[in-house]
């Protein structure tokens, strides 16, 4: 975009350059023919695809995403919203609370705030800020559910709650999933709601809570909230036979939904195929034997029947 376009004489242009030198840092002068104009250098901006709402259970590690494009020489600061306490600047931690740390690798544009061993009072808004001019920031909301309150009675609340609206829960796709060992599992749970979204959404396998800190490792859970529905995505890398079982999506104040996951190895699949082949051979043999006996019986009946006339 052309902000200033002029054909001033060289002396006037030089004076203008001197005046603007201290006020237009980050701008570039372009010339073409007898004209010159200033173009603003690229400004940092946030990616719109990263989630802004995250729910975890106390004790879990929370990962608050912040992806900044065109950062250049600017820096990223994470602050706690309720008191504007600075937690990290760049890759340095400025908080005395060692649970806070920023995760960043030079090849990426991600500046993720990691909060270890979360507590209910960690809930609130966190601000990812870039020291551009003017400064830009993005809010990420963290909700930490108290693990002590998550008992079976809480999971069995009715689907229809007059105070909070009505809910429906489903896991996208088939009710049974079959995977090869070593592949990745991805499950997507969608909760539709007429009023308030569920305060938390949990994943279980065979009654065992799944989270980032599970001994298995390789688990990622992403949560997105809109006005009418909440979506949670469970991702598990390098699944093994031991990962088979019943997976249940449990939204608080909403009905659960489940799928059955079956993980097989090459040997197991070969055994299943061999079993199917053997059964098919048995059926084919029995059918052939039945046809042979039927033919012999018909032939014998025709041979010994005595005509009545």
């Amino acid at each position: 975009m052309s902000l200033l376009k002029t054909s001033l004489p060289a002396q006037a242009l030089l004076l203008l350059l001197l005046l603007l030198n201290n006020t237009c840092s980050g701008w570039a002068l372009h010339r073409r023919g007898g004209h010159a104009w200033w173009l603003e250098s690229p400004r940092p901006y946030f990616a719109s695809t990263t989630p802004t709402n995250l729910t975890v259970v106390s004790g879990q590690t929370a990962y608050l995403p912040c992806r900044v494009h065109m950062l250049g020489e600017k820096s990223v600061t994470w602050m706690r919203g309720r008191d504007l306490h600075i937690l990290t600047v760049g890759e340095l931690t400025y908080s005395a609370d060692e649970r806070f740390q920023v995760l960043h690798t030079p090849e990426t544009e991600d500046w993720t705030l990691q909060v270890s061993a979360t507590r209910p009072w960690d809930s609130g808004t966190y601000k990812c800020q870039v020291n551009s001019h003017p400064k830009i920031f993005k809010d990420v909301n963290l909700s930490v559910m108290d693990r002590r309150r998550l008992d079976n009675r809480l999971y069995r609340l009715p689907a229809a709650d007059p105070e909070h609206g009505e809910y429906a829960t489903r896991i996208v796709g088939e009710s049974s999933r079959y995977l090869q060992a070593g592949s990745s599992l991805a499950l997507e749970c969608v909760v539709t709601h007429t009023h308030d979204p569920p305060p938390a959404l949990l994943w279980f396998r065979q009654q065992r809570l799944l989270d980032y800190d599970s001994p298995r490792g390789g688990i990622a859970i992403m949560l997105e909230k809109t006005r009418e529905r909440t979506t949670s995505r469970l991702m598990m890398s390098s699944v093994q036979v031991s990962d088979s079982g019943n997976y249940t999506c449990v939204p608080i104040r909403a009905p659960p939904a489940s799928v059955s996951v079956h993980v097989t190895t090459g040997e197991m699949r070969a055994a299943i195929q061999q079993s199917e082949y053997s059964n098919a051979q048995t059926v084919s043999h029995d059918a052939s034997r039945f046809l042979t006996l039927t033919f012999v019986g018909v032939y014998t009946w025709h041979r010994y029947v005595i005509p009545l006339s």
Side-chain angles (χ1 to χ4, degrees), residues 181 241 244 262-275:
V241 175
S244 299
H262 308 271
V263 182
T264 61
T265 62
E267 292 78 6
M268 293 178 63
R269 190 169 60 257
I272 293 173
Q273 292 176 347
Q274 179 62 34
S275 175

Side-chain angles (χ1 to χ4, degrees), residues 157-161 164-172 188-198 201 228-232 249-257:
L157 288 174
D161 186 344
H164 298 95
E166 296 183 354
Y167 299 86
T169 307
R170 66 185 179 92
I171 295 180
V172 179
E188 180 175 322
C189 179
V190 178
V191 183
T192 54
H193 35 81
T194 58
H195 189 25
D196 297 334
L201 198 154
E228 297 179 348
R229 73 178 191 174
T230 300
T231 302
S232 177
C249 167
V250 182
I252 307 304
R253 287 206 296 259

Side-chain angles (χ1 to χ4, degrees), residues 270-288:
I272 293 173
Q273 292 176 347
Q274 179 62 34
S275 175
E276 293 175 348
Y277 175 76
S278 299
N279 292 337
Q281 289 291 93
T282 301
V283 172
S284 177
H285 175 72
D286 291 344
S288 299

Side-chain angles (χ1 to χ4, degrees), residues 1-306:
M1 177 179 179
S2 178
L3 299 180
L4 177 63
K5 187 174 182 180
T6 178
S7 57
L8 295 174
Q11 293 181 351
L13 180 58
L14 179 59
L15 178 60
L16 182 61
L17 288 175
L18 293 174
L19 292 174
L20 295 177
N21 183 48
N22 295 324
T23 59
C24 293
S25 58
W27 295 53
L29 178 66
H30 291 257
R31 292 189 181 90
R32 178 174 297 174
H35 302 281
W37 63 92
W38 290 90
L39 288 179
E40 185 179 2
S41 59
R43 290 185 177 182
Y45 65 97
F46 295 109
S48 59
T49 55
T50 56
T52 56
N53 295 283
L54 179 68
T55 302
V56 298
V57 177
S58 60
Q60 294 179 336
T61 299
Y63 298 92
L64 281 60
C66 182
R67 182 173 300 165
V68 185
H69 300 304
M70 309 297 293
L71 181 62
E73 300 299 322
K74 308 302 181 183
S75 62
V76 175
T77 299
W78 274 100
M79 297 185 297
R80 189 165 49 208
R82 65 173 178 264
D83 55 8
L84 297 182
H85 176 66
I86 296 177
L87 302 172
T88 65
V89 177
E91 299 185 55
L92 301 178
T93 301
Y94 277 73
S95 174
D97 191 338
E98 297 180 351
R99 297 180 304 125
F100 294 94
Q101 180 183 0
V102 70
L103 304 179
H104 172 70
T105 53
E107 313 83 54
T108 69
E109 298 176 313
D110 294 321
W111 297 81
T112 302
L113 179 65
Q114 174 183 291
V115 187
S116 304
T118 53
R119 302 161 187 171
W121 52 85
D122 290 324
S123 298
T125 300
Y126 292 80
K127 295 181 179 293
C128 178
Q129 177 181 283
V130 178
N131 67 337
S132 56
H133 182 73
K135 291 183 174 64
I136 60 173
F137 64 89
K138 182 175 184 178
D139 290 344
V140 180
N141 301 305
L142 173 64
S143 176
V144 182
M145 301 296 297
D146 192 341
R147 185 184 293 270
R148 294 171 298 180
R149 298 179 57 191
L150 300 179
D151 54 27
N152 290 334
R153 289 176 300 171
L154 190 58
Y155 301 147
R156 291 184 171 85
L157 288 174
D161 186 344
E163 180 182 354
H164 298 95
E166 296 183 354
Y167 299 86
T169 307
R170 66 185 179 92
I171 295 180
V172 179
E174 301 294 332
S175 59
S176 295
R177 310 292 173 87
Y178 296 86
L179 294 92
Q180 170 80 25
S183 60
S184 296
L185 170 66
L187 298 176
E188 180 175 322
C189 179
V190 178
V191 183
T192 54
H193 35 81
T194 58
H195 189 25
D196 297 334
L201 198 154
L202 310 175
W203 284 95
F204 289 83
R205 185 186 72 83
Q206 303 293 98
Q207 309 303 318
R208 183 182 296 272
L209 179 66
L210 297 173
D211 56 40
Y212 303 103
D213 298 331
S214 296
R216 178 198 182 280
I219 296 177
I221 300 175
M222 302 295 291
L223 185 69
E224 295 181 6
K225 291 184 179 181
T226 64
R227 183 176 180 179
E228 297 179 348
R229 73 178 191 174
T230 300
T231 302
S232 177
R233 296 178 178 86
L234 170 67
M235 289 162 282
M236 299 175 60
S237 61
S238 301
V239 294
Q240 303 301 321
V241 175
S242 58
D243 292 316
S244 299
N246 194 55
Y247 285 73
T248 305
C249 167
V250 182
I252 307 304
R253 287 206 296 259
S258 299
V259 295
S260 181
V261 175
H262 308 271
V263 182
T264 61
T265 62
E267 292 78 6
M268 293 178 63
R269 190 169 60 257
I272 293 173
Q273 292 176 347
Q274 179 62 34
S275 175
E276 293 175 348
Y277 175 76
S278 299
N279 292 337
Q281 289 291 93
T282 301
V283 172
S284 177
H285 175 72
D286 291 344
S288 299
R289 184 179 179 186
F290 172 77
L291 291 176
T292 301
L293 292 176
T294 302
F295 174 78
V296 171
V298 172
Y299 173 78
T300 303
W301 182 79
H302 276 288
R303 182 178 181 183
Y304 291 100
V305 68
I306 299 175

